[in-house]
Amino acid sequence: TNRAGARHGPRAVREATSDHIRGVNQTTGVSPYTTGLLVRDIGDAVVRAPWSLEGAHVEIEDQFRKILKEGSSTLTVGGDHSITLPILRAYHKEGKYSEPMGLIHIDAHADTGDAYTGSRFHHGAPFRVATEESLIDPKRTVQIGIRGTLADSKQWAFSKDSGMRVIPMEEAASLGTEGMIEEIKAVVGEGPTYISFDIDALDPAFAP
């Protein structure tokens, strides 16, 4: 909320992965270069009106719609979590999926708040707005790792009230990896699902 830097995420990922990447994952044995997948870094989404939040979202949505029209899918890195909303809108408007998608959301915050300092389209509310616009199905949404202090005890009430499955960090630790995988499968099911990972899901010791 009060720290700049999310916009530099794409650049940091490029720098970290452009030097010495080996070809085989030793745990899974998978070699991404032999899967037959065609993957391209098509650059950053250009935002010409960065001081207009809703205008910036329109620009992002338009660029994603162009990608989807070509029959491609997207893997997106950075900036803050508010960009998820225009991406979900693009998938919906291009008819990629006719029904609201499921959501696997890994984060320290539920991001289902409401209006804050003059806007409800900030990084703390995308999944509330996405639910209200029928972009995601709250009954097929699981939020994992929620933790930390709150400005208001009811800050994330929308998550539970709408039927989202919220797994706080304490419960995630007790469930363990296998338990969480089973819970995710039970909630999300077999339908189309969007995965969103926020960097602050990691312990601040590793991502300050």
Side-chain angles (χ1 to χ4, degrees):
T1 298
N2 63 341
R3 297 178 67 184
R7 65 187 183 277
H8 300 307
R11 181 190 307 170
V13 170
R14 290 185 182 106
E15 290 175 354
T17 58
S18 63
D19 184 23
H20 191 60
I21 301 299
R22 297 182 174 92
V24 180
N25 183 302
Q26 66 175 315
T27 301
T28 64
V30 171
S31 175
Y33 304 105
T34 61
T35 60
L37 297 173
L38 182 62
V39 180
R40 291 288 185 271
D41 180 349
I42 61 172
D44 294 351
V46 178
V47 176
R48 294 179 174 83
W51 307 123
S52 169
L53 181 55
E54 292 178 56
H57 284 180
V58 171
E59 292 186 89
I60 293 169
E61 179 188 326
D62 288 345
Q63 290 171 74
F64 273 79
R65 291 183 68 177
K66 291 177 183 177
I67 297 169
L68 298 174
K69 282 180 180 177
E70 298 298 322
S72 299
S73 293
T74 60
L75 173 64
T76 311
V77 179
D80 72 26
H81 229 155
S82 72
I83 69 167
T84 309
L85 181 60
I87 295 171
L88 290 170
R89 285 170 173 165
Y91 270 86
H92 181 74
K93 290 179 182 178
E94 286 307 314
K96 193 76 173 179
Y97 304 110
S98 58
E99 299 294 329
M101 287 193 284
L103 174 69
I104 300 171
H105 173 208
I106 304 170
D107 199 337
H109 310 99
D111 290 352
T112 52
D114 207 341
Y116 179 71
T117 61
S119 175
R120 65 192 310 264
F121 298 102
H122 52 83
H123 63 272
F127 301 119
R128 180 186 187 124
V129 180
T131 298
E132 292 172 348
E133 294 184 6
S134 297
L135 305 176
I136 60 173
D137 180 353
K139 300 295 194 300
R140 294 184 56 236
T141 292
V142 57
Q143 300 185 301
I144 302 167
I146 309 304
R147 69 176 193 278
T149 57
L150 298 172
D152 185 293
S153 62
K154 298 181 179 179
Q155 189 168 342
W156 309 133
F158 182 86
S159 290
K160 294 181 180 178
D161 291 346
S162 65
M164 296 180 183
R165 172 67 167 103
V166 180
I167 303 178
M169 182 57 77
E170 296 80 5
E171 184 182 357
S174 64
L175 283 172
T177 302
E178 295 302 322
M180 278 197 293
I181 290 173
E182 292 305 312
E183 187 67 12
I184 290 169
K185 289 179 178 179
V187 173
V188 173
E190 299 293 332
T193 301
Y194 189 90
I195 300 175
S196 186
F197 176 87
D198 192 309
I199 187 65
D200 64 15
L202 299 179
D203 191 298
F206 305 105

